[in-house]
Amino acid sequence: MNYHEPPHDNNSRTAVRLAAVIAMGIVTLATASALIVGQPSSPHKYMSSAAAGGLVFSAFPITEPTVAWGLVTDTFRVVEYRLKNGQSLSDLLQEQSLSVQQQQQLIEAASAVFDVRNVRPDKPFYLLMPRKAAGAAYIIYEPSIYEYLRFSLQGEPSVERIKRPTSSEVRTATGTVEASLWKTMVDKGYSYELTDKMEDALQWSIDFHHLQKGDRFQLVYEQHFVEGEEAGVGRVQAARYQSGDKTHHAIYYENGEYKGYYNLNGEPMKSRFLKAPVKYSRISSHFSMRRLHPVLKYNRPHFGTDYAAPAGTPIMAVGDGVVTAASYNGGNGNFVKIRHDNVHETQYLHMQRFAAGIRPGVRVQQGQVIGYVGSTGLATGPHVCFRFWKNGRQVNHLKLEMPPAKPLPASEMDSFRRLRDELVQRLDKSDERRPAAGKP
């Protein structure tokens, strides 16, 4: 456990400061009144006489309290506590000298507002320990920057789930790819999260493993704030990616049953299959009829595409379907196979492990995590060998042309065009190479 300086709650701190200022005014006014009506004239230590005979008040000494999680924390020691592997919330509560009944009350109260199974070891608890008493008075857990759980261990045990005040604004981003998209984004001060959201918007039209130097992008996105401080990135509302003579747009449109990214003509960006089963990766070996196997050291066909990525990287189903296999098999290592329809199947090899709930017969959705990158079976390093079947034959998925999805109906097009035109105008204004007003 480590001593930890708690974060400040801006709203609570403002309220405390205002109360202190009001108190200062009352005390100062009362003291001044006493002097005026003939109380002892020796100057008070917080005021002095002016040359003209009037009173001049100096600053009243106020120590601003530290406020966090809706509590004044100056009277507590704040201790950081992390669960170890295999531990749960129950283990933490047992250490607080609570009765079994009190522990059960807290777990039931927490379960009513939060799934306690989602408590993560990488997110610490904060124990507020009274300076002159044993045990914690409060326990704080922050599932995300947007909210926290406050366990009260004093009196009747209780748990509150408190959402922090949030706001958002629409921003734009633009750049030209140099060494890589991720380096370009970071060099320009954009977050990894924004890069990830841009890939989500364009993943059906852009192969992010084959970007070129000089490619350009523009984005319109939501920036979230928590208590006035920058927090996470919201949805990318519009994206434009220009590579050579090709330009791709993604416009987010939502109206009842219609929801998702569309191109400028109102056609869904979502295709039957994603371009790749992993993000943040590179192709380390292509589909080939003759490849020197890195382990067996002889040439043989390679009916898949290898994506190298750090061990533990999530592997996604490239399309909706039903899991037909999830097991270990010799050279394939841990693998999952999915049937998408009567024509298409996909397979994902060398997994470190399967995602929770992945087993034969389970239906999965496009983009759902089905496992994690590993190097089980015949593999020299962490990667996923992705295989694609069409009519029972393994084919190179990178060369397939998938049929387009159905466009928005005519009844939605006027609404879509208004949104599209507004967002495209924002993209134009964000373009870093767009001529300044009044210049050719």
Side-chain angles (χ1 to χ4, degrees):
M1 286 193 264
N2 300 313
Y3 177 79
H4 187 80
E5 183 68 25
H8 301 290
D9 287 356
N10 291 341
N11 289 350
S12 301
R13 183 171 58 190
T14 299
V16 171
R17 186 188 296 120
L18 180 60
V21 169
I22 292 172
M24 177 188 74
I26 294 171
V27 172
T28 303
L29 185 60
T31 306
S33 300
L35 290 174
I36 291 171
V37 297
Q39 293 297 321
S41 59
S42 58
H44 191 277
K45 63 179 179 179
Y46 296 121
M47 60 183 68
S48 60
S49 297
L55 291 172
V56 177
F57 301 98
S58 65
F60 196 92
I62 298 175
T63 301
E64 183 177 322
T66 302
V67 178
W69 307 299
L71 302 167
V72 177
T73 58
D74 293 325
T75 57
F76 298 102
R77 289 182 299 111
V78 181
V79 178
E80 184 179 296
Y81 183 102
R82 291 181 182 272
L83 295 178
K84 298 176 182 178
N85 288 334
Q87 286 189 317
S88 66
L89 176 60
S90 298
D91 296 293
L92 169 58
L93 296 178
Q94 285 177 8
E95 296 182 18
Q96 306 311 310
S97 302
L98 298 172
S99 68
V100 174
Q101 181 180 358
Q102 288 174 318
Q103 293 175 36
Q104 189 61 34
Q105 279 182 276
L106 282 170
I107 291 175
E108 289 177 358
S111 299
V113 296
F114 179 76
D115 188 346
V116 295
R117 294 173 299 178
N118 291 334
V119 169
R120 291 164 45 184
D122 62 320
K123 288 186 175 293
F125 287 84
Y126 298 101
L127 278 56
L128 276 61
M129 318 281 285
R131 296 185 182 278
K132 296 183 179 180
Y138 299 93
I139 298 175
I140 308 296
Y141 179 72
E142 298 180 316
S144 73
I145 193 173
Y146 301 103
E147 62 181 350
Y148 59 90
L149 301 182
R150 187 169 65 198
F151 295 72
S152 177
L153 279 60
Q154 296 178 316
E156 188 72 16
S158 63
V159 181
E160 297 175 89
R161 184 174 186 171
I162 301 169
K163 294 187 180 296
R164 291 188 167 103
T166 60
S167 60
S168 63
E169 69 179 30
V170 177
R171 290 183 174 179
T172 59
T174 181
T176 300
V177 175
E178 295 298 334
S180 71
L181 175 63
W182 284 81
K183 187 176 188 308
T184 298
M185 295 290 279
V186 171
D187 288 348
K188 292 183 71 65
Y190 302 131
S191 67
Y192 288 123
E193 186 180 11
L194 179 58
T195 312
D196 188 43
K197 296 287 180 72
M198 178 172 69
E199 289 196 5
D200 285 344
L202 293 164
Q203 61 186 317
W204 297 280
S205 56
I206 302 295
D207 183 355
F208 285 96
H209 299 93
H210 291 88
L211 303 183
Q212 300 179 44
K213 182 177 180 179
D215 287 358
R216 296 164 53 212
F217 62 87
Q218 297 90 39
L219 305 172
V220 177
Y221 68 98
E222 300 166 353
Q223 175 65 55
H224 291 166
F225 297 84
V226 174
E227 296 179 339
E229 300 292 332
E230 281 194 10
V233 172
R235 178 178 291 118
V236 169
Q237 296 182 351
R240 176 164 60 202
Y241 197 93
Q242 298 157 283
S243 181
D245 59 354
K246 292 185 178 181
T247 300
H248 303 272
H249 286 84
I251 306 295
Y252 187 83
Y253 177 77
E254 183 173 354
N255 186 17
E257 65 178 290
Y258 303 101
K259 176 181 178 181
Y261 287 101
Y262 296 82
N263 65 16
L264 296 183
N265 297 321
E267 298 166 341
M269 299 291 294
K270 181 177 180 178
S271 64
R272 288 288 311 282
F273 300 102
L274 299 177
K275 291 284 186 179
V278 285
K279 296 179 180 178
Y280 333 124
S281 63
R282 62 180 176 83
I283 294 179
S284 55
S285 182
H286 288 267
F287 186 97
S288 173
M289 299 305 294
R290 182 178 174 85
R291 183 192 72 153
L292 178 64
H293 194 281
V295 177
L296 301 178
K297 301 302 181 184
Y298 63 82
N299 289 317
R300 70 177 191 174
H302 182 236
F303 295 128
T305 303
D306 289 350
Y307 291 89
T313 299
I315 299 171
M316 302 175 295
V318 298
D320 298 346
V322 176
V323 175
T324 57
S327 64
Y328 183 89
N329 184 314
N332 292 343
N334 293 320
F335 77 95
V336 169
K337 193 170 186 179
I338 299 172
R339 174 169 288 282
H340 302 281
D341 51 38
N342 292 332
V343 175
H344 304 100
E345 294 177 279
T346 55
Q347 190 178 18
Y348 313 76
L349 313 182
H350 310 304
M351 290 182 173
Q352 180 188 78
R353 58 188 173 90
F354 308 121
I358 297 301
R359 60 185 181 277
V362 169
R363 178 167 291 278
V364 294
Q365 296 180 323
Q366 185 181 74
Q368 181 177 336
V369 175
I370 58 173
Y372 301 88
V373 170
S375 52
T376 57
L378 291 177
T380 57
H383 74 285
V384 55
C385 177
F386 175 65
R387 302 194 174 197
F388 197 102
W389 274 263
K390 183 176 181 180
N391 293 319
R393 290 182 58 248
Q394 294 188 68
V395 296
N396 185 352
H397 77 289
L398 296 175
K399 294 184 177 181
L400 289 179
E401 289 290 338
M402 297 298 175
K406 293 182 180 180
L408 287 169
S411 59
E412 294 289 326
M413 288 306 296
D414 284 345
S415 175
F416 173 76
R417 290 190 192 101
R418 285 193 295 271
L419 176 65
R420 175 199 66 188
D421 293 347
E422 176 188 340
L423 291 173
V424 168
Q425 188 176 21
R426 283 181 175 266
L427 290 172
D428 289 341
K429 289 181 179 179
S430 74
D431 192 343
E432 64 182 359
R433 288 173 55 180
R434 181 179 173 82
K439 294 184 180 182

